[in-house]
Amino acid sequence: MTADPLPAHSLAEAYMYLMATPCPKCGKGPLHGDDARPTPETNRVLLTVPTQCGACSHWQDYIFAVEGDLLSVQAQQTAGIGVRVNASHHASRIIDVAQWILLFRMISEAAARVEDKQDMRLLGYEAAQCLEEALKFYAADNDLPPDRAFFHESSRQRRRDYPQEFSRERLIELRAKLPTLEVMEASRFVSRKEKKRWWAPWR
């Protein structure tokens, strides 16, 4: 179990974190998150998410401190449309810039494999958000992210090995190929089939 709650802007960001995090036992993955168990506190909501590694079957609980109240977090599970990972202008404190770029690639590749157009649109919405979250780490006058945008040695090593991946101009060009989040949401672009939630249903 993690020692301190991980600060997440939303339930969606918590599950994105699990997608981007290697197993603490074998270093592989992916981690599969089970149902989130809420424990409300005075000023925050704590969610415990049991996870199992897809490679070595190791189980571990992750605890997230999620913004908002319990009702708003529950509403994220029952919404019929895609959910904003982070509606604020603040960068994530648990997923670094390299992980957001990796998530963008993973989700884009998944979108290319699915046949259902509705699922493809929802994955496109999530991929677009990954790019926007990555861009929150950049200063407007710098094409490369600052050192504080990297939380892990593996991320810093990826920057050294593939510096071209971290060009702000490149990320902006990738993001420009997709509709804005507002357009996707207003047009029901991201309506979700109830049985196709990509994280576990609320209990």
Side-chain angles (χ1 to χ4, degrees), residues 12 15-17 19-20 85 99-114 119-131 178 198:
Y15 279 91
M16 287 281 197
Y17 171 86
M19 289 175 62
V85 172
Q99 290 174 306
W100 282 119
I101 294 171
L102 176 62
L103 284 168
F104 165 74
R105 187 169 69 248
M106 290 170 55
I107 295 171
S108 296
E109 290 173 354
R113 292 193 299 267
V114 300
D119 291 339
M120 186 184 301
R121 288 193 294 267
L122 178 57
L123 288 168
Y125 175 70
E126 292 163 0
Q129 292 195 73
C130 290
L131 288 176
L178 298 169
W198 61 272

Side-chain angles (χ1 to χ4, degrees), residues 21-66:
T21 300
C23 173
K25 184 175 181 180
C26 71
K28 299 179 181 178
L31 299 181
H32 301 292
D34 206 341
D35 296 4
R37 301 195 300 262
T39 303
E41 288 192 345
T42 303
N43 297 318
R44 60 180 178 173
V45 176
L46 294 184
L47 300 176
T48 299
V49 182
T51 65
Q52 184 178 29
C53 175
C56 71
S57 299
H58 173 70
W59 280 94
Q60 176 168 326
D61 284 351
Y62 286 82
I63 302 177
F64 298 90
V66 181

Side-chain angles (χ1 to χ4, degrees), residues 158-174:
R158 186 159 192 87
R159 176 181 58 178
R160 291 190 290 268
D161 293 342
Y162 306 101
Q164 68 279 5
E165 289 189 4
F166 296 92
S167 164
R168 179 173 179 267
E169 182 178 355
R170 170 181 172 272
L171 297 184
I172 290 174
E173 289 175 353
L174 288 171

Side-chain angles (χ1 to χ4, degrees), residues 10 12 16 76 79-87 100 103-104 107-108 111 117-133 175 178-192 198-199:
S10 66
M16 287 281 197
Q76 295 176 29
I81 61 171
V83 176
R84 288 280 184 118
V85 172
N86 176 8
W100 282 119
L103 284 168
F104 165 74
I107 295 171
S108 296
K117 290 185 177 180
Q118 188 173 342
D119 291 339
M120 186 184 301
R121 288 193 294 267
L122 178 57
L123 288 168
Y125 175 70
E126 292 163 0
Q129 292 195 73
C130 290
L131 288 176
E132 295 203 357
E133 291 305 310
R175 181 64 188 91
L178 298 169
T180 67
L181 301 184
E182 290 78 11
V183 167
M184 293 181 183
E185 292 162 350
S187 64
R188 304 289 294 178
F189 187 84
V190 292
S191 60
R192 180 192 296 124
W198 61 272
W199 56 73

